[in-house]
Amino acid sequence: MAQEDDEEDLTFNVDEVQQIVRDNVELCLGGNAYSHSRTPQWITIITEKTLARLNKLNKPYKYIMRITITQKNGSGLHTAAAYYWDIATDGTCTVRWENKYMYCIVNIWALALQI
Amino acid sequence: MADENVVEEEAETPAATESESAITPTELDKPLAPPKYEVRPSLGEKFQSQNVREIIVTTMQEQLMGRKYRSDQAPRWTEEIANRVRQRVQDLDMKRYKILVQCIMIEMKGAGVKCAQRCMWDPETDDYVGDLFRNETIYCYTVAYGIYMY
């Protein structure tokens, strides 16, 4: 029935999204060294590709995507987040990726549209 | 019309009569309160960017003023800041808004960092506010998003 389809559509599939993000980050950053001038380009590529693929999933969600790329320098980095949302339908996905020269942290938040 | 008559006969429960007064006569009513279909926040109900920015700035200053980066304490500090900002933004009571707060703290050691964000949302109703706190050892950026729920 149509209602069953809606219920399936309205859960956030973390694994699928993680896979999408990991593929895109790997594709773009691969074995590169941190470069302050090229990073904006990389970020643009990653975000646009990932958002395009998320949209193709065709789910009734609004997405927020945040990327942080840090050079490996021994400095500490901590992140915390707090949410006020509907835990049944909304979700978050964080992907941490690293290579020899840098760390890349991608946060994706999906908020359901109540249609 | 014939259809409307049938529905009115079915809806002769006490709950239905209460909700009838709240809606226009042409809408069909059920025992539950009918949805209002307000797809835009009204003028006084939009995301209050300036107030949220003040909340973020004061919370970070309260928590981090005069402190040095400590790797054992930093997770606690970020959690506290995120929770406090979220609590205070909730207290602003912006109706139908979902709130997201992220606090990111970096030790100032000369590492290069680049951050970016992209959002897939409705720019007329959704908004975000972010602000920075810096001292000699700490670099803390907190961002709060408000997403309207249709």
Side-chain angles (χ1 to χ4, degrees):
Chain A
M1 280 182 61
Q3 216 179 17
E4 281 173 16
D5 281 342
D6 288 342
E7 281 174 24
E8 261 183 47
D9 264 355
L10 216 47
T11 47
F12 183 57
N13 191 343
V14 182
D15 299 320
E16 209 184 341
V17 174
Q18 268 197 350
Q19 199 46 48
I20 295 179
V21 174
R22 234 180 260 282
D23 291 340
N24 280 325
V25 174
E26 187 63 53
L27 192 71
C28 183
L29 298 181
N32 295 332
Y34 182 84
S35 153
H36 211 66
S37 49
R38 284 173 61 192
T39 327
Q41 270 180 29
W42 293 335
I43 290 187
T44 315
I45 299 177
I46 297 177
T47 45
E48 284 174 10
K49 286 199 167 169
T50 315
L51 270 187
R53 279 187 70 178
L54 284 178
N55 282 337
K56 282 205 193 135
L57 294 178
N58 238 344
K59 296 203 164 174
Y61 278 104
K62 289 184 179 175
Y63 296 105
I64 300 178
M65 184 172 162
R66 211 176 148 76
I67 298 194
T68 306
I69 300 188
T70 323
Q71 205 176 10
K72 271 194 179 178
N73 196 10
S75 57
L77 195 160
H78 288 278
T79 313
Y83 318 114
Y84 178 63
W85 64 20
D86 184 349
I87 50 181
T89 55
D90 304 327
T92 169
C93 164
T94 309
V95 173
R96 275 186 27 178
W97 181 93
E98 61 180 284
N99 71 8
K100 258 173 60 185
Y101 313 99
M102 55 185 166
Y103 292 110
C104 175
I105 304 172
V106 179
N107 283 312
I108 296 196
W109 293 290
L111 296 115
L113 302 173
Q114 295 218 332
I115 298 188
Chain B
M1 284 171 48
D3 289 344
E4 273 179 357
N5 287 337
V6 168
V7 171
E8 274 164 25
E9 276 164 38
E10 282 176 1
E12 268 173 355
T13 56
T17 50
E18 284 168 15
S19 60
E20 256 185 76
S21 53
I23 55 169
T24 58
T26 49
E27 280 186 41
L28 303 176
D29 43 337
K30 309 172 184 174
L32 298 172
K36 289 194 205 155
Y37 298 108
E38 288 170 350
V39 291
R40 289 279 177 271
S42 56
L43 207 49
E45 295 181 345
K46 284 201 144 199
F47 187 70
Q48 300 165 16
S49 320
Q50 273 310 103
N51 289 339
V52 177
R53 188 180 291 276
E54 267 182 49
I55 289 176
I56 292 181
V57 167
T58 47
T59 311
M60 284 204 288
Q61 283 187 347
E62 275 172 22
Q63 290 287 313
L64 300 176
M65 188 69 84
R67 284 196 165 149
K68 285 207 157 138
Y69 183 87
R70 287 183 55 170
S71 54
D72 48 349
Q73 304 271 20
R76 229 171 27 101
W77 293 341
T78 48
E79 259 191 71
E80 273 238 36
I81 295 178
N83 280 326
R84 281 199 188 186
V85 172
R86 195 220 350 149
Q87 190 55 52
R88 290 184 186 175
V89 173
Q90 271 181 253
D91 293 337
L92 289 179
D93 201 24
M94 294 180 281
K95 295 213 164 31
R96 302 190 74 96
Y97 268 97
K98 292 182 179 175
I99 311 289
L100 234 101
V101 175
Q102 187 184 33
C103 171
I104 171 168
M105 194 182 298
I106 307 180
E107 187 184 4
M108 294 266 252
K109 249 195 172 181
V113 184
K114 272 275 195 291
C115 277
Q117 72 182 27
R118 287 282 190 287
C119 309
M120 193 78 201
W121 64 23
D122 183 346
E124 290 178 22
T125 57
D126 307 326
D127 201 3
Y128 79 100
V129 170
D131 217 319
L132 189 52
F133 172 87
R134 245 185 192 172
N135 69 14
E136 294 108 24
T137 48
I138 298 182
Y139 185 96
C140 181
Y141 183 74
T142 304
V143 59
Y145 300 93
I147 313 292
Y148 193 69
M149 182 170 70
Y150 300 117

